[in-house]
Amino acid sequence: MLRGLRYLLILSCCLWMLSGGLLWPAWGRDLSRQTPQDKTVELGTADNQLVFVPKELFFRNGNLYRLRLSNPSQLKHYFSAKDFADAVWTRKLEVAGVEIKGQIREIELKPGAAVEWQFIPLKSGVYSLVCTIPGHAEAGMIGQITIGD
């Protein structure tokens, strides 16, 4: 009888840890119902510098983010980070009252444009960010996105 209670106690502790306790804190909660954490990136500058501001971004696995992208320059730019896009679950992309859902590969922002991208990072890693318009990356429009725990 005592041996059976011991196994039941061990099993209960293991289930508790897996369902939101120590080992897997994301289990047992709906990740999509979080309040988004805001981050902002400008693609270019008002005086047409070819840069991302900031050029380095950090996100934590399992957290919901609202990435606000804007283009203050007179040139169009791309926010292109395919491997990063493959490592997140996109909740939605919202621009001008329209919501786009599903996988996002590249976002083009025309002069003065802005967009909000809500996502949850799922896979740790370091990912390249680049504007794929010819000459922009070579002029310095590159960055790095890190997803960590």
Side-chain angles (χ1 to χ4, degrees):
M1 175 77 171
L2 186 57
R3 186 175 179 172
L5 286 174
R6 187 178 335 166
Y7 287 126
L8 183 60
L9 180 60
I10 291 170
L11 178 61
S12 296
C13 288
C14 289
L15 289 174
W16 172 78
M17 288 188 304
L18 291 174
S19 67
L22 303 174
L23 297 179
W24 301 99
W27 284 22
R29 65 181 171 123
D30 185 344
L31 297 177
S32 69
R33 294 190 185 272
Q34 300 177 57
T35 300
Q37 297 177 38
D38 289 319
K39 296 238 181 184
T40 302
V41 175
E42 291 184 343
L43 284 70
T45 62
D47 61 351
N48 293 323
Q49 292 180 43
L50 300 177
V51 295
F52 290 105
V53 180
K55 65 187 271 180
E56 294 182 9
L57 298 164
F58 179 80
F59 301 101
R60 291 199 183 283
N61 276 315
N63 291 335
L64 177 62
Y65 290 93
R66 180 187 302 122
L67 182 59
R68 299 173 190 264
L69 304 173
S70 65
N71 181 356
S73 76
Q74 288 94 31
L75 305 169
K76 77 175 178 178
H77 296 294
Y78 288 96
F79 185 95
S80 183
K82 182 200 171 303
D83 293 335
F84 169 74
D86 290 342
V88 303
W89 170 77
T90 294
R91 181 181 192 184
K92 67 179 178 176
L93 185 79
E94 190 170 340
V95 60
V98 175
E99 288 185 11
I100 301 164
K101 300 182 190 254
Q103 190 65 31
I104 306 299
R105 295 279 185 223
E106 186 172 68
I107 301 171
E108 177 184 330
L109 274 82
K110 295 186 174 158
V115 64
E116 291 182 359
W117 182 9
Q118 289 190 25
F119 58 85
I120 297 174
L122 302 174
K123 183 180 174 189
S124 295
V126 177
Y127 305 98
S128 296
L129 169 62
V130 64
C131 178
T132 56
I133 293 175
H136 286 206
E138 295 79 7
M141 203 159 186
I142 57 173
Q144 181 175 291
I145 304 172
T146 303
I147 298 175
D149 294 324

